[in-house]
Every structure is written in C-alpha cells, then in structure tokens.
Amino acid sequence: MNIRYGLLGSALLLIAGGHAEAQEIKKVNTSATVISGSRTIIYQSSFVNPDCSLAAVPRLKILDGGKHGEIQIVHEKVFPIFKRSNPRFKCNGRKVEGAVVYYTPGAKFTGSDKIKLRESSESEAGVWEITARVTVVD
C-alpha cells in the first residue's frame, strides 16, 4: 500500500461497483506563518512506495484561495518527511515528484487568511480535504 505525505488532512471516497460510497472522512488543519510580501510553502505532498520510488504525483485543486493572497500549485521534487518509526523514513533523503502549494500575501497585508484545497491520487483511491490557516506578519 502506498503512503501519502502531507502537512494537512484527508477525506476518503471509494467507488465500488458503480456506486460511490464514503468510507472515511478525515480533516486535518494546519497553520503557517508567512512574512508579508514573501512567497512561502504552506503545503507539500508526495506519494511514495516502500522502496522510495514515486507511487503517484498528488493532484491538488484550490477550493478556496483565501481573501488576502495568491495561491500557486507547482509540481516539483520534494523531500518526503516521515517519522523515524515509519518504514519509509529512509526515503526522507531522496527527492521525489510531488505537489507544493505556495502562498504569497497581498501587498502590505498582515493578518489571517484561510485556504482550502482538495487532494487526490489514483494510487490511493482517495480524496483529501485540506485547510490551511495562514498568519501574515511584517
């Protein structure tokens, strides 16, 4: 089984026999502090096999891009981040294709913003909903 890596949450929807059946919905919130005017990674994800090879490139869609900044989704190489107890911990030092979400706050904006994303992958047969709360400081 492939493992997804991300900084945020998930929802799982399986389709069996032509019927969509919700199996599990998981939502994980994350937060990031961003310096006003600077482009910052607020989320990244990759799907890695146990041998550290690429399982699939995550597909991300912006559901709500926030009110005070710009969101950019880029497919680029990322380092997975697994805990030492995870069998894929050895993969942390190897870059794999992934998806990265960058946030750039509007000019001179400081304060809070909230971003919502949807992530999916054919290899995982799932859909994840992601919420990121961003604090922009000078």
Side-chain angles (χ1 to χ4, degrees), residues 34-129:
V34 175
I35 296 174
S36 183
S38 85
R39 181 178 184 238
T40 304
I41 295 172
I42 61 168
Y43 179 78
Q44 76 175 33
S45 180
S46 62
F47 295 91
V48 178
N49 290 312
D51 68 356
C52 302
S53 64
L54 177 68
V57 176
R59 295 179 295 197
L60 288 166
K61 178 181 178 181
I62 300 167
L63 299 178
D64 181 350
K67 294 181 170 70
H68 305 289
E70 179 182 320
I71 297 295
Q72 183 182 26
I73 297 172
V74 178
H75 286 187
E76 62 187 34
K77 291 192 178 268
V78 299
F79 286 106
I81 303 172
F82 293 100
K83 293 180 180 179
R84 187 172 295 279
S85 60
N86 189 304
R88 289 173 173 82
F89 176 77
K90 65 185 180 203
C91 303
N92 289 357
R94 301 178 191 178
K95 278 192 167 186
V96 297
E97 287 299 320
V100 178
V101 179
Y102 289 95
Y103 175 84
T104 305
K108 299 183 181 181
F109 172 74
T110 58
S112 298
D113 209 350
K114 183 170 82 171
I115 313 311
K116 286 197 174 223
L117 307 164
R118 180 172 295 139
E119 180 176 22
S120 62
S121 165
E122 291 177 19
S123 70
E124 295 297 316
V127 176
W128 295 268
E129 189 173 295

